[in-house]
Amino acid sequence: YICPHPQNIILMLNLRNIRTDDLIAEVKRRLVCASKPNKNLILVGGPGSGKGTQAALLRDEYCLCHLSTGDILRAEVARGSDLGKKAKGFMEKGQLVPDEVVIDLVGSAMQAPECEKGFILDGFPRNFSQAEKLNTMLEEKKAKLDKVVYFKAPDEVLEERVTGRRVHPKSGRTYHMKFLPPKVPNMDDITGEPLEHRKDDSVEVFRKRMEVFHNTNQPLLKFYSGQNKLASIDASKGIKEVWGSVQSMIQHRIFTIFRT
Protein backbone atom coordinates (compact mmCIF):
# COMPACT_ATOMS: atom_id res chain seq x y z
CA TYR A 1 0.00 0.00 0.00
CA ILE A 2 1.36 3.41 -1.04
CA CYS A 3 0.20 6.31 1.10
CA PRO A 4 -1.19 9.15 -1.05
CA HIS A 5 0.67 12.44 -1.01
CA PRO A 6 -0.85 14.86 1.56
CA GLN A 7 -1.73 17.33 -1.19
CA ASN A 8 -3.61 14.60 -3.08
CA ILE A 9 -5.54 13.70 0.08
CA ILE A 10 -6.59 17.35 0.48
CA LEU A 11 -7.60 17.43 -3.19
CA MET A 12 -9.72 14.28 -2.82
CA LEU A 13 -11.45 15.70 0.25
CA ASN A 14 -12.16 18.92 -1.64
CA LEU A 15 -13.60 16.97 -4.57
CA ARG A 16 -16.09 15.30 -2.23
CA ASN A 17 -17.54 18.72 -1.49
CA ILE A 18 -18.17 19.49 -5.18
CA ARG A 19 -21.57 18.77 -6.68
CA THR A 20 -21.70 15.76 -9.01
CA ASP A 21 -23.12 17.88 -11.85
CA ASP A 22 -20.14 20.23 -11.57
CA LEU A 23 -17.67 17.33 -11.62
CA ILE A 24 -19.33 15.80 -14.69
CA ALA A 25 -19.30 19.18 -16.42
CA GLU A 26 -15.57 19.54 -15.74
CA VAL A 27 -14.87 16.02 -17.07
CA LYS A 28 -16.82 16.87 -20.26
CA ARG A 29 -14.89 20.12 -20.59
CA ARG A 30 -11.58 18.28 -20.32
CA LEU A 31 -12.66 15.73 -22.93
CA VAL A 32 -13.44 18.58 -25.32
CA CYS A 33 -10.11 20.21 -24.44
CA ALA A 34 -8.25 17.02 -25.35
CA SER A 35 -9.18 17.60 -29.02
CA LYS A 36 -7.86 21.17 -29.05
CA PRO A 37 -4.40 21.99 -30.44
CA ASN A 38 -1.60 22.71 -27.99
CA LYS A 39 -0.54 26.34 -28.21
CA ASN A 40 1.97 28.55 -26.42
CA LEU A 41 1.31 32.22 -27.16
CA ILE A 42 2.55 35.66 -26.15
CA LEU A 43 0.22 38.64 -26.52
CA VAL A 44 1.72 42.10 -27.06
CA GLY A 45 -0.15 45.38 -27.26
CA GLY A 46 -0.45 48.83 -25.77
CA PRO A 47 -2.99 49.83 -23.12
CA GLY A 48 -6.49 49.63 -24.57
CA SER A 49 -5.46 47.25 -27.37
CA GLY A 50 -7.89 44.60 -26.12
CA LYS A 51 -5.31 41.87 -25.60
CA GLY A 52 -6.73 41.10 -22.15
CA THR A 53 -10.20 40.53 -23.64
CA GLN A 54 -8.78 38.32 -26.39
CA ALA A 55 -6.65 36.41 -23.85
CA ALA A 56 -9.81 35.46 -21.94
CA LEU A 57 -11.50 34.29 -25.15
CA LEU A 58 -8.44 32.25 -26.13
CA ARG A 59 -8.23 30.70 -22.67
CA ASP A 60 -11.83 29.51 -22.77
CA GLU A 61 -11.93 28.42 -26.41
CA TYR A 62 -8.61 26.54 -26.53
CA CYS A 63 -8.25 25.44 -22.89
CA LEU A 64 -5.07 27.42 -22.35
CA CYS A 65 -3.91 29.01 -19.12
CA HIS A 66 -3.77 32.81 -19.01
CA LEU A 67 -0.59 33.94 -17.27
CA SER A 68 -0.35 37.56 -16.17
CA THR A 69 2.86 38.34 -14.29
CA GLY A 70 1.03 40.78 -12.01
CA ASP A 71 -1.49 38.12 -10.99
CA ILE A 72 1.26 35.53 -10.54
CA LEU A 73 3.30 37.85 -8.32
CA ARG A 74 0.32 38.69 -6.12
CA ALA A 75 -0.72 35.02 -5.82
CA GLU A 76 2.77 33.79 -4.88
CA VAL A 77 3.24 36.56 -2.32
CA ALA A 78 -0.16 35.76 -0.78
CA ARG A 79 0.69 32.04 -0.74
CA GLY A 80 3.98 32.70 1.02
CA SER A 81 6.02 30.49 -1.32
CA ASP A 82 9.81 30.79 -1.43
CA LEU A 83 9.62 32.65 -4.74
CA GLY A 84 6.80 34.80 -3.37
CA LYS A 85 8.90 35.77 -0.34
CA LYS A 86 11.81 36.61 -2.61
CA ALA A 87 9.59 38.81 -4.79
CA LYS A 88 7.97 40.44 -1.75
CA GLY A 89 11.36 41.53 -0.46
CA PHE A 90 11.94 43.62 -3.60
CA MET A 91 8.36 44.91 -3.73
CA GLU A 92 8.43 46.13 -0.11
CA LYS A 93 11.56 48.15 -0.90
CA GLY A 94 9.79 49.75 -3.86
CA GLN A 95 12.14 47.98 -6.27
CA LEU A 96 11.30 46.17 -9.50
CA VAL A 97 11.31 42.40 -9.14
CA PRO A 98 14.41 41.15 -11.05
CA ASP A 99 13.82 39.40 -14.37
CA GLU A 100 15.31 36.17 -13.04
CA VAL A 101 12.72 35.99 -10.23
CA VAL A 102 9.84 36.81 -12.60
CA ILE A 103 11.03 34.13 -15.05
CA ASP A 104 11.16 31.58 -12.21
CA LEU A 105 7.63 32.56 -11.16
CA VAL A 106 6.34 32.21 -14.72
CA GLY A 107 8.09 28.85 -15.12
CA SER A 108 6.54 27.60 -11.89
CA ALA A 109 3.07 28.75 -12.98
CA MET A 110 3.44 26.84 -16.25
CA GLN A 111 3.58 23.58 -14.29
CA ALA A 112 -0.07 23.94 -13.22
CA PRO A 113 -2.51 21.33 -14.62
CA GLU A 114 -4.52 24.06 -16.35
CA CYS A 115 -1.46 24.77 -18.52
CA GLU A 116 -1.36 21.24 -19.99
CA LYS A 117 -2.69 22.43 -23.36
CA GLY A 118 -0.47 25.50 -23.39
CA PHE A 119 -0.21 29.04 -22.09
CA ILE A 120 -0.97 32.64 -22.96
CA LEU A 121 1.56 35.14 -21.64
CA ASP A 122 -0.15 38.52 -21.35
CA GLY A 123 2.12 41.56 -21.09
CA PHE A 124 5.32 39.57 -20.65
CA PRO A 125 8.05 39.75 -21.80
CA ARG A 126 8.10 43.56 -21.91
CA ASN A 127 11.57 44.05 -23.35
CA PHE A 128 14.38 42.36 -25.27
CA SER A 129 16.24 41.20 -22.16
CA GLN A 130 13.16 39.48 -20.72
CA ALA A 131 12.47 37.85 -24.10
CA GLU A 132 15.96 36.34 -24.18
CA LYS A 133 15.61 34.99 -20.63
CA LEU A 134 12.17 33.58 -21.43
CA ASN A 135 13.56 31.83 -24.51
CA THR A 136 16.28 30.22 -22.40
CA MET A 137 13.74 29.04 -19.81
CA LEU A 138 11.46 27.54 -22.49
CA GLU A 139 14.39 25.74 -24.11
CA GLU A 140 15.32 24.24 -20.73
CA LYS A 141 11.74 23.02 -20.34
CA LYS A 142 11.74 21.76 -23.94
CA ALA A 143 8.70 23.95 -24.56
CA LYS A 144 8.02 25.58 -27.92
CA LEU A 145 6.71 29.10 -28.39
CA ASP A 146 4.20 29.02 -31.25
CA LYS A 147 3.40 32.67 -31.88
CA VAL A 148 3.72 36.21 -30.59
CA VAL A 149 0.54 38.12 -31.42
CA TYR A 150 0.88 41.89 -31.71
CA PHE A 151 -2.43 43.75 -31.26
CA LYS A 152 -1.64 46.80 -33.35
CA ALA A 153 -3.73 49.97 -33.30
CA PRO A 154 -3.04 53.70 -33.78
CA ASP A 155 -2.26 55.61 -30.59
CA GLU A 156 -5.31 57.86 -31.05
CA VAL A 157 -7.63 54.82 -31.11
CA LEU A 158 -6.10 53.43 -27.92
CA GLU A 159 -6.21 56.86 -26.27
CA GLU A 160 -9.93 57.19 -26.95
CA ARG A 161 -10.58 53.73 -25.51
CA VAL A 162 -8.54 54.26 -22.35
CA THR A 163 -9.37 57.86 -21.47
CA GLY A 164 -13.11 57.31 -21.97
CA ARG A 165 -13.31 54.67 -19.24
CA ARG A 166 -15.30 55.35 -16.09
CA VAL A 167 -15.52 53.01 -13.09
CA HIS A 168 -17.92 52.51 -10.20
CA PRO A 169 -15.37 52.11 -7.36
CA LYS A 170 -17.45 49.91 -5.04
CA SER A 171 -18.61 47.32 -7.59
CA GLY A 172 -15.92 47.59 -10.25
CA ARG A 173 -18.55 48.10 -12.96
CA THR A 174 -16.91 49.70 -15.96
CA TYR A 175 -18.41 52.10 -18.48
CA HIS A 176 -17.16 54.04 -21.47
CA MET A 177 -18.36 57.52 -22.27
CA LYS A 178 -18.64 56.69 -25.99
CA PHE A 179 -18.88 52.92 -26.38
CA LEU A 180 -20.77 51.92 -23.21
CA PRO A 181 -22.16 55.08 -21.59
CA PRO A 182 -24.17 55.03 -18.33
CA LYS A 183 -27.88 55.93 -18.53
CA VAL A 184 -27.19 59.14 -16.61
CA PRO A 185 -23.85 60.83 -17.38
CA ASN A 186 -21.14 59.98 -14.82
CA MET A 187 -23.58 58.00 -12.63
CA ASP A 188 -23.65 54.24 -11.97
CA ASP A 189 -26.73 52.58 -13.54
CA ILE A 190 -27.45 50.43 -10.48
CA THR A 191 -26.74 52.66 -7.48
CA GLY A 192 -26.84 56.14 -8.97
CA GLU A 193 -23.49 56.82 -7.30
CA PRO A 194 -20.77 58.90 -9.04
CA LEU A 195 -18.39 57.17 -11.42
CA GLU A 196 -14.64 57.60 -11.13
CA HIS A 197 -12.14 58.52 -13.81
CA ARG A 198 -9.05 56.67 -12.65
CA LYS A 199 -5.71 58.44 -12.70
CA ASP A 200 -4.27 55.59 -14.79
CA ASP A 201 -6.85 56.42 -17.47
CA SER A 202 -5.92 60.09 -17.78
CA VAL A 203 -4.49 61.46 -21.04
CA GLU A 204 -1.18 62.35 -19.37
CA VAL A 205 -0.61 58.90 -17.87
CA PHE A 206 -1.72 57.14 -21.06
CA ARG A 207 0.75 59.07 -23.20
CA LYS A 208 3.61 58.36 -20.81
CA ARG A 209 2.73 54.65 -20.85
CA MET A 210 2.65 54.66 -24.66
CA GLU A 211 6.03 56.37 -24.82
CA VAL A 212 7.52 53.60 -22.66
CA PHE A 213 5.64 50.96 -24.66
CA HIS A 214 6.99 52.17 -28.03
CA ASN A 215 10.56 52.48 -26.73
CA THR A 216 10.64 48.93 -25.35
CA ASN A 217 8.30 47.35 -27.90
CA GLN A 218 10.30 47.89 -31.09
CA PRO A 219 13.34 45.78 -30.02
CA LEU A 220 10.93 43.12 -28.74
CA LEU A 221 9.04 42.96 -32.05
CA LYS A 222 12.31 42.81 -34.02
CA PHE A 223 13.51 39.96 -31.81
CA TYR A 224 10.43 37.81 -32.47
CA SER A 225 10.15 38.88 -36.11
CA GLY A 226 13.69 37.60 -36.60
CA GLN A 227 12.52 34.23 -35.25
CA ASN A 228 9.51 34.25 -37.62
CA LYS A 229 7.23 34.11 -34.56
CA LEU A 230 5.47 37.46 -34.91
CA ALA A 231 1.90 37.90 -36.16
CA SER A 232 0.19 41.29 -36.39
CA ILE A 233 -3.55 41.75 -35.92
CA ASP A 234 -5.52 44.93 -36.52
CA ALA A 235 -6.73 45.72 -33.00
CA SER A 236 -8.53 48.91 -34.05
CA LYS A 237 -11.54 46.79 -35.07
CA GLY A 238 -14.34 45.59 -32.80
CA ILE A 239 -14.00 42.66 -30.39
CA LYS A 240 -15.79 40.17 -32.67
CA GLU A 241 -13.73 41.11 -35.72
CA VAL A 242 -10.47 40.88 -33.80
CA TRP A 243 -11.52 37.54 -32.34
CA GLY A 244 -12.23 36.28 -35.87
CA SER A 245 -8.69 37.25 -36.91
CA VAL A 246 -7.22 35.52 -33.85
CA GLN A 247 -9.17 32.32 -34.58
CA SER A 248 -8.07 32.36 -38.23
CA MET A 249 -4.49 32.70 -37.09
CA ILE A 250 -4.74 29.67 -34.82
CA GLN A 251 -7.02 27.43 -36.86
CA HIS A 252 -5.68 28.08 -40.32
CA ARG A 253 -2.20 29.36 -39.54
CA ILE A 254 -2.81 32.53 -41.57
CA PHE A 255 -0.19 34.93 -40.32
CA THR A 256 0.41 38.52 -41.29
CA ILE A 257 4.02 39.04 -40.32
CA PHE A 258 4.66 42.46 -38.88
CA ARG A 259 7.74 43.98 -40.50
CA THR A 260 9.51 46.39 -38.18
Side-chain angles (χ1 to χ4, degrees), residues 123-142:
F124 185 86
R126 294 180 183 274
N127 54 52
F128 176 75
S129 174
Q130 291 177 347
E132 284 192 313
K133 291 180 174 69
L134 177 64
N135 259 20
T136 300
M137 184 265 281
L138 291 176
E139 287 172 3
E140 290 171 353
K141 291 181 176 293
K142 294 182 171 54

Side-chain angles (χ1 to χ4, degrees), residues 93-108:
K93 295 174 186 175
Q95 300 173 348
L96 290 174
V97 179
D99 289 347
E100 290 76 10
V101 177
V102 176
I103 289 289
D104 286 344
L105 286 166
V106 170
S108 177

